[in-house]
Amino acid sequence: MSLIVQKYGGTSMGSPDRIREVARRVARFAREGHQLVVVPSAMAGETNRLLALARELHPEPSPRELDVIASTGEQVSIGLLALALQHLGLKAKSYTGWQVPIVTDASYSKARILGIEDRNIREDLAEGTVVIVAGFQGIDDDNNITTLGRGGSDTTGVALAASLKADECQIYTDVDGVYTADPRIVPEARRLDRITFEEMLEAASLGSKVLQIRSVEFAGKYKVKLRVLSSFTDVNSADMGTLITFEEDEDMEQAIISNVAHNRDEAKISVLGVPDRPGIAFAILDPIAKANIDVDMIIQNASSDGMTDFSFTVHRSEYQRAMQILEPGIRKAIGARGVVGDDRIAKVSLVGIGMRTHAGIASKMFGALAAEGINIQMISTSEIKTSVVVDEKYMELAVRVLHRTFDLDKAPTEEKMKP
Ligand code: ADP
Ligand code: ASP
Ligand code: MG
């Protein structure tokens, strides 16, 4: 008997029929003798609908009330799934985040899980009950409802698996695993049987929304066995999906590049004509950090005549707020010439642990983009990734070109493998 946490995404929970299918899959595992904790997301489109409703009543809704509203999607899902399971003759009980409780910090809309009080869940499991826990939500120390950021049900699932020391955490979604690129953009993308934890962490942080970044971080920290699978296959199928691995398996066919990730959720801000002296980066970014706005890429140009330009990217939803902080207040304080922004950018990245041992990946990447006439606005690299910012309208083209250039549609061959 194993303890398994299964997370089902929005499309998997998208209609009464889909919920019945989820219940049948859960029932299959329960009847095989496993203990099950199930974490559903809100039904497809529901979180967007709720957030749009809020914005109809207030152009800048209070973050606290937004979380109160957005969290209800998952509450509906847990109740419906409990009913579907009970109808199949199983014992099932639902919990909202605050009922567990899943305790988080107080950052509304992007709260972090601090701890899980899982005693009641353990008792239910011991009695043979399927426990259903709402994804995406928690409660802070002052009893405020919080949400974990878009895609946060993945993190609820993995955090519960870590807390309960589950044998496996299965993320069921609308694709049958992690692919070499988003299959919606690259039809010839290939499913990976395995991906290393480090590559998955990079891909998630670079925008592959198949797993929320924090879920991958949790999996790494607590060594949760994590697998991505489809909820659209036959409930009795033995699909293995994609396993996130922690060891570099010597026997594993390891391509130099694992996948191409993309992200259109960012915006670029440039502070122009900044005096090039100590403390300027701090003067620009400290107020941004104090407003709890995360900064991703940062570029400062070489100065000429003691002046330089300073550019960085933020999440698109925080773009306006960041612009308001800089213009005119910070611009005037540091004596900069101007602040310009662009929220129609996209980031496209190559990810692969083989980059550590192979030179020339970045130049091949830049050459492939140049051949298509795609201008690179920003570049950032780490040991296992190279990212570029391009005009949003070229994003899909860039993803396809890179997928083709690095032969990701073909299984790794000898010369593509590590030496
Ligand atoms: P869920 O609602 O189940 O959480 P998501 O929409 O959040 O599903 O994530 C699954 C989607 O992630 C897929 O439908 C696919 O379009 C997208 N995706 C992006 N990059 C990848 C990738 N490398 N492999 C698989 N899916 C990807
Ligand atoms: N329902 C939330 C969202 O749409 C959480 C999730 O699906 O993981 O972002
Ligand atoms: Mg998701």
Side-chain angles (χ1 to χ4, degrees):
M1 182 181 73
S2 306
L3 169 50
I4 301 173
V5 176
Q6 296 186 335
K7 178 260 169 177
Y8 290 91
T11 323
S12 308
M13 293 289 296
S15 65
D17 281 342
R18 292 298 321 152
I19 296 175
R20 257 191 290 273
E21 280 297 292
V22 168
R24 288 180 57 219
R25 191 177 300 270
V26 173
R28 175 201 133 197
F29 280 87
R31 289 186 178 130
E32 284 171 5
H34 303 298
Q35 292 185 326
L36 282 153
V37 175
V38 187
V39 178
S41 292
M43 296 170 77
E46 183 61 9
T47 309
N48 286 345
R49 188 186 74 85
L50 292 166
L51 293 173
L53 264 181
R55 291 206 165 80
E56 269 191 44
L57 290 162
H58 198 302
E60 284 175 42
S62 119
R64 181 184 186 278
E65 305 314 326
L66 264 188
D67 278 8
V68 167
I69 297 160
S71 63
T72 60
E74 273 70 12
Q75 182 166 338
V76 172
S77 287
I78 56 172
L80 292 175
L81 183 57
L83 292 182
L85 283 164
Q86 288 164 6
H87 193 61
L88 292 178
L90 274 83
K91 284 201 282 182
K93 183 173 173 187
S94 69
Y95 288 88
T96 61
W98 61 267
Q99 283 175 314
V100 173
I102 294 177
V103 180
T104 72
D105 66 14
S107 333
Y108 297 117
S109 83
K110 52 180 177 187
R112 283 181 180 272
I113 295 178
L114 301 176
I116 297 179
E117 182 51 72
D118 58 22
R119 200 175 31 137
N120 292 338
I121 297 180
R122 286 181 192 280
E123 283 174 13
D124 291 337
L125 289 173
E127 287 170 9
T129 300
V130 174
V131 176
I132 305 165
V133 179
F136 181 53
Q137 54 179 264
I139 187 161
D140 74 6
D141 277 338
D142 295 321
N143 279 350
N144 297 302
I145 289 175
T146 54
T147 65
L148 309 180
R150 300 309 302 268
S153 300
D154 298 334
T155 302
T156 307
V158 180
L160 276 165
S163 175
L164 295 163
K165 301 196 169 51
D167 296 283
E168 183 161 324
C169 180
Q170 302 173 342
I171 306 284
Y172 285 94
T173 182
D174 53 7
V175 280
D176 61 350
V178 180
Y179 277 65
T180 48
D182 186 341
R184 284 177 211 247
I185 294 184
V186 185
E188 60 279 10
R190 258 184 331 111
R191 183 180 61 79
L192 302 164
D193 289 334
R194 292 157 169 258
I195 182 168
T196 67
F197 160 72
E198 288 166 288
E199 286 167 333
M200 192 63 239
L201 192 66
E202 280 289 3
S205 86
L206 295 168
S208 280
K209 68 174 187 155
V210 63
L211 285 175
Q212 198 201 33
I213 171 90
R214 285 184 186 161
S215 71
V216 188
E217 287 168 356
F218 256 103
K221 190 163 173 196
Y222 298 99
K223 296 289 174 288
V224 175
K225 187 171 175 194
L226 181 60
R227 203 183 280 283
V228 177
L229 302 132
S230 170
S231 69
F232 286 76
T233 55
D234 184 275
V235 293
N236 292 312
S237 68
D239 294 343
M240 301 305 278
T242 300
L243 180 68
I244 317 315
T245 59
F246 294 101
E247 299 90 43
E248 281 176 32
D249 183 346
E250 292 299 315
D251 299 334
M252 193 173 138
E253 290 193 346
Q254 181 67 56
I256 298 165
I257 303 299
S258 151
N259 63 85
V260 186
H262 69 274
N263 178 349
R264 61 177 120 220
D265 293 336
E266 290 188 21
K268 183 176 79 167
I269 297 177
S270 299
V271 187
L272 307 174
V274 181
D276 192 12
R277 59 176 149 79
I280 285 296
F282 179 72
I284 294 172
L285 294 183
D286 187 52
I288 300 285
K290 290 219 167 86
N292 202 12
I293 297 174
D294 292 329
V295 169
D296 178 24
M297 291 164 118
I298 303 173
I299 289 190
Q300 183 176 329
N301 287 340
S303 70
S304 74
D305 302 331
M307 296 297 226
T308 182
D309 296 338
F310 187 93
S311 301
F312 59 96
T313 62
V314 296
H315 197 276
R316 220 176 260 190
S317 64
E318 296 179 319
Y319 170 62
Q320 291 301 344
R321 216 153 54 86
M323 287 295 273
Q324 281 159 12
I325 290 169
L326 295 172
E327 181 65 272
I330 301 299
R331 175 180 60 77
K332 285 192 176 156
I334 61 175
R337 183 160 46 81
V339 180
V340 292
D342 184 356
D343 63 352
R344 308 210 61 83
I345 57 156
K347 184 166 69 174
V348 177
S349 312
L350 281 179
V351 178
I353 53 175
M355 279 192 206
R356 282 188 189 133
T357 46
H358 282 73
I361 302 289
S363 59
K364 188 170 170 185
M365 176 183 190
F366 303 156
L369 295 173
E372 295 291 336
I374 301 173
N375 185 42
I376 299 172
Q377 303 180 14
M378 294 171 105
I379 298 171
S380 119
T381 63
S382 79
E383 219 188 359
I384 65 164
K385 71 116 197 281
T386 304
S387 303
V388 296
V389 167
V390 298
D391 188 322
E392 187 186 13
K393 67 173 181 274
Y394 297 122
M395 186 193 80
E396 298 202 359
L397 175 63
V399 173
R400 287 193 201 105
V401 164
L402 295 177
H403 197 270
R404 197 180 330 121
T405 302
F406 288 90
D407 290 331
L408 295 183
D409 54 329
K410 301 182 189 87
T413 54
E414 287 297 324
E415 89 269 16
K416 278 173 67 194
M417 287 192 285
K418 280 207 293 189

